Amino acid sequence: MSERDFDGKAAIVTGASRGIGEATARELAARGAGVVLLARDRAAIDALSAEIEAAGGRAAAQPCDVADYAQMEAAVALCREHFGAPDILVNNAGLIEPIAHLADSDPAAWGQVIDVNVKGVYHGLRAVLPEMAARGSGVVVTISSGAATSALEGWSHYCASKAAALMLTRCADLEYGAKGVRVVGLSPGTVATHMQVAIKASGINPVSQLDPSVHIPPEWVAKAVAYLCTPAGAAYAGGDMSLREPSVRAAIGLG
Ligand code: NAP
């Protein structure tokens, strides 16, 4: 795999202020892509953008709430202006808090998780698909989860949202796969980020009981996202690639 295999490509990463999104932005930029960094925390994405540029990469930061379609459209316009029409979209932004049993859940907070984890993914697809389909190329990677297919106590909002996001991946692949657009999910397993800190603090289900040493680093997930954007990723179109699979880890060169 060439180290600069994304030279000249334009990428958008949502939720780039920390965790998996931050690592993914660094990985894509290091491999030559111009990367638009989206998140609500402006200071964090500004700092990451400056760091990527200082290292010789190309990045542009844009505050964006993925739950608002107008902000997503504006982000795609910014990408076009700086780096060209997006070749890669990584739908990574996601929420799991507040973790609560259904009877104790706050309806507004439950709905916000749907707004970000489901509508945010839809907004990303809606904003990039017309151009990708017209050009006959492009990759959309959505960060999925085992929660898309397994019920977990206290996570009704999260499980429902990840199931819906997986179905969006399948529908988008059905409609645009034959037009040259690869839409694919990535199920990373547990990853050492802020999200796992929040899960541990909840104490609610078996995931909260895991020892933090079992979580993989976000840099592994970033390499898996990049892998899905290479020709090898075509094999996973319309589905979820699981980073728990030893054969997948081996193909990507992870330990
Ligand atoms: P994280 O450290 O909590 O990061 C979440 C990111 O999402 C932050 O950059 C946050 O940025 C962004 N975000 C949240 N709401 C947003 C909004 N309305 N608009 C734009 N950005 C928003 O968690 P992470 O572990 O890196 O999670 C990234 C993705 O991986 C999520 O989709 C998550 O469900 C998935 N995932 C994680 C794990 C795990 O074990 N960590 C496992 C499976 C799947 P701002 O707050 O600055 O907006």
Side-chain angles (χ1 to χ4, degrees), residues 8-119:
K9 300 279 188 199
I12 299 174
V13 179
T14 73
S17 57
R18 60 175 188 257
I20 293 169
E22 176 185 354
T24 299
R26 283 185 210 280
E27 177 74 17
L28 297 178
R31 288 164 67 160
V35 185
V36 174
L37 315 172
L38 306 181
R40 295 164 304 170
D41 183 343
R42 175 192 280 264
I45 52 175
D46 278 348
L48 179 59
S49 174
E51 195 191 304
I52 288 172
E53 297 220 311
R58 297 178 301 141
Q62 168 91 343
C64 175
D65 181 343
V66 297
D68 179 344
Y69 183 62
Q71 292 185 42
M72 182 61 77
E73 259 193 324
V76 173
L78 182 97
C79 181
R80 227 177 268 125
E81 191 184 306
H82 282 256
F83 308 121
D87 300 289
I88 296 167
L89 167 67
V90 185
N91 277 319
N92 163 78
L95 292 177
I96 197 165
E97 292 174 280
I99 292 169
H101 290 126
L102 273 163
D104 306 322
S105 60
D106 173 62
W110 201 100
Q112 201 206 352
V113 170
I114 301 300
D115 286 347
V116 174
N117 296 12
V118 183
K119 286 169 70 178

Side-chain angles (χ1 to χ4, degrees), residues 96 99-100 145 147 152-160 199 202 205 207:
I96 197 165
I99 292 169
S145 166
L152 280 146
E153 195 185 339
W155 290 17
S156 64
H157 52 353
Y158 189 74
C159 294
I199 290 166
S202 76
N205 65 33
V207 184

Side-chain angles (χ1 to χ4, degrees), residues 1-12:
M1 198 155 33
S2 151
E3 273 192 295
R4 302 283 304 183
D5 46 359
F6 300 134
D7 258 341
K9 300 279 188 199
I12 299 174

